[in-house]
Amino acid sequence: MNYFTPGLRELARKLDRQRNRLRMMLARRDLATAETALGLLGWQQAEFDPQTQAEVDKINAYEREQARLTNESAGLGKELRELRDERETRRKAFEEQRRDWEAQRRGITQPHAEIEKQLAEKRKIEPTFERRMPELDRELREIHKLHTKLLASGQQSPQIKAEFTRLRERTVTIPNEKADLRNQHLRTVSEIRALEAQLERDREVLAAMEKQQRELQAQFDAADNHSAGEIRLREREKTRLEKEINTIETAKTNPYLQIGRVLADSDIAPMNQPGALARVKRLRSRLVELDHLIGLSLEASALEDRRLVQHSIFLWAIIAFVALLLILASIPRG
């Protein structure tokens, strides 16, 4: 008795049935898609029974709701474009204003370095005046003392006369030198005060400009944040509407499927695409063919001797197990 062939035949039939079942599953999916497409193409061109007409009414209701939601979504899209354009225009205007402000600020602050340099140079002169005036006063007092001492000596030598002449000249030049120093001091103080006043005015102007800029920045930020919030709100609403539209589109699938089955059962093809009906018929025939093949395979399996098949499969299992052990034994160990 042959114990090898029955097990192989049964395994081959099982594999063939599984392959055909997979083909049936794919064919059913393709058939549902084809029937839905048939319903989509032909749902407006036939008279239906009340049950199918209810599916048509569902589609009409879905279409109206989709149209309403689509119009609402389009309106939101227009609002979003306008809000984005308005926000971008406001941002550009603010950036232009900021650039103008920076240019004005540079125009005010750039001369400050030169003014600070002038102030530093003029402030260096002040210690000279403060030191030189007491020195001149001391020198004048010494001249008076020396002049009095020479007069008291009564000497009339050429050297004494030359010294008298020098002392008189110096007595005249010291007041002039003091007057020049005082005038220079007053002029320097006036210039220092003018430069300091200019710096102070510039600082006040800059402080006012910065305060105004902070206020404008705060106003811009508030308006920009408000616009961003409005945009996000409408984007969320538009996303919600699009999800609803997609949900309705998905919901229309079942009515289209039911209508497509009725059209196929009634042998009614769409006027503009008659090939849609032919595809449904072809897929239905394919399902019948696959189901028939599975039935034939099951009948063939039923005719086999079950005990002989079990013994054959068990024998093949032992052979496979022994072969696996031999393969593992032949693998070199590291």
Side-chain angles (χ1 to χ4, degrees):
M1 184 177 292
N2 187 355
Y3 285 99
F4 291 96
T5 306
L8 290 177
R9 284 199 304 268
E10 184 59 24
L11 287 174
R13 283 193 290 265
K14 287 180 179 292
L15 289 175
D16 187 60
R17 286 198 295 271
Q18 288 301 112
R19 184 168 59 252
N20 286 331
R21 288 190 180 102
L22 178 61
R23 290 172 178 171
M24 284 189 70
M25 182 183 70
L26 296 176
R28 286 194 185 97
R29 185 191 63 184
D30 293 341
L31 176 60
T33 302
E35 289 173 338
T36 301
L38 178 61
L40 175 63
L41 294 169
W43 70 279
Q44 293 178 321
Q45 68 181 52
E47 293 292 335
F48 298 105
D49 59 86
Q51 183 178 356
T52 309
Q53 185 62 41
E55 300 296 332
V56 174
D57 295 339
K58 285 182 184 179
I59 293 176
N60 286 322
Y62 288 149
E63 293 284 350
R64 288 192 297 271
E65 183 62 14
Q66 268 191 314
R68 185 187 70 80
L69 293 174
T70 300
N71 291 335
E72 190 174 344
S73 178
L76 283 173
K78 180 181 178 182
E79 290 181 16
L80 277 170
R81 288 192 298 273
E82 291 174 351
L83 283 171
R84 291 186 181 117
D85 291 343
E86 180 184 347
R87 187 186 185 192
E88 186 62 24
T89 300
R90 185 168 53 248
R91 185 183 296 277
K92 288 180 179 179
F94 181 74
E95 290 299 328
E96 183 66 27
Q97 186 185 48
R98 189 203 296 276
R99 286 192 291 270
D100 292 342
W101 181 82
E102 289 293 340
Q104 294 176 16
R105 186 177 182 278
R106 286 194 298 271
I108 294 174
T109 55
Q110 281 177 351
H112 283 185
E114 182 62 28
I115 294 174
E116 293 287 354
K117 182 179 178 182
Q118 294 177 18
L119 275 173
E121 292 174 352
K122 294 184 182 301
R123 284 168 179 158
K124 290 178 181 178
I125 300 174
E126 287 304 288
T128 303
F129 170 79
E130 296 173 356
R131 184 188 70 253
R132 189 60 181 154
M133 290 296 285
E135 289 177 353
L136 291 174
D137 288 337
R138 284 194 299 272
E139 184 182 358
L140 188 58
R141 287 194 298 272
E142 292 297 327
I143 289 172
H144 287 321
K145 289 179 182 180
L146 183 56
H147 187 270
T148 301
K149 183 177 180 181
L150 290 175
L151 287 176
S153 67
Q155 297 180 8
Q156 295 295 325
S157 64
Q159 292 82 2
I160 297 298
K161 290 180 180 180
E163 183 65 14
F164 270 120
T165 300
R166 187 188 70 78
L167 292 175
R168 282 195 298 271
E169 291 176 353
R170 189 59 183 151
T171 302
V172 173
T173 58
I174 284 176
N176 291 335
E177 187 175 346
K178 289 176 65 178
D180 291 342
L181 281 171
R182 189 174 291 106
N183 290 335
Q184 184 182 8
H185 166 67
L186 294 174
R187 185 169 59 253
T188 301
V189 170
S190 176
E191 291 174 352
I192 288 174
R193 289 175 179 172
L195 291 173
E196 289 176 340
Q198 181 178 349
L199 285 176
E200 185 62 26
R201 287 194 301 271
D202 288 347
R203 292 190 185 100
E204 290 176 356
V205 171
L206 285 173
M209 289 175 60
E210 289 174 354
K211 180 181 178 182
Q212 182 183 21
Q213 188 63 21
R214 286 194 298 271
E215 292 174 353
L216 292 174
Q217 181 72 53
Q219 293 173 6
F220 169 79
D221 290 341
D224 191 64
N225 291 335
H226 177 73
S227 295
E230 290 293 322
I231 289 172
R232 286 194 298 271
L233 182 65
R234 283 163 175 76
E235 284 176 341
R236 286 195 296 269
E237 181 64 16
K238 193 171 188 300
T239 301
R240 184 188 66 79
L241 290 175
E242 289 172 353
K243 287 182 179 179
E244 287 190 25
I245 292 171
N246 291 333
T247 301
I248 292 174
E249 188 66 30
T250 302
K252 285 159 55 175
T253 301
N254 187 62
Y256 283 140
L257 175 61
Q258 300 302 323
I259 294 171
R261 287 173 177 172
V262 171
L263 290 173
D265 293 342
S266 303
D267 201 25
I268 299 176
M271 291 183 291
N272 54 346
Q273 293 190 38
L277 176 62
R279 185 166 187 270
V280 171
K281 288 183 175 182
R282 186 169 62 255
L283 288 169
R284 285 184 173 184
S285 298
R286 177 62 174 162
L287 282 173
V288 171
E289 178 185 352
L290 290 171
D291 187 63
H292 179 66
L293 290 174
I294 292 172
L296 291 176
S297 177
L298 290 171
E299 290 176 1
S301 294
L303 295 175
E304 289 279 2
D305 185 341
R306 303 309 301 167
R307 184 178 297 275
L308 184 59
V309 170
Q310 291 173 359
H311 289 167
S312 179
I313 292 175
F314 180 72
L315 179 60
W316 279 110
I318 293 174
I319 293 172
F321 179 71
V322 172
L324 178 61
L325 290 178
L326 292 174
I327 292 172
L328 292 175
S330 64
I331 297 175
R333 301 181 182 275

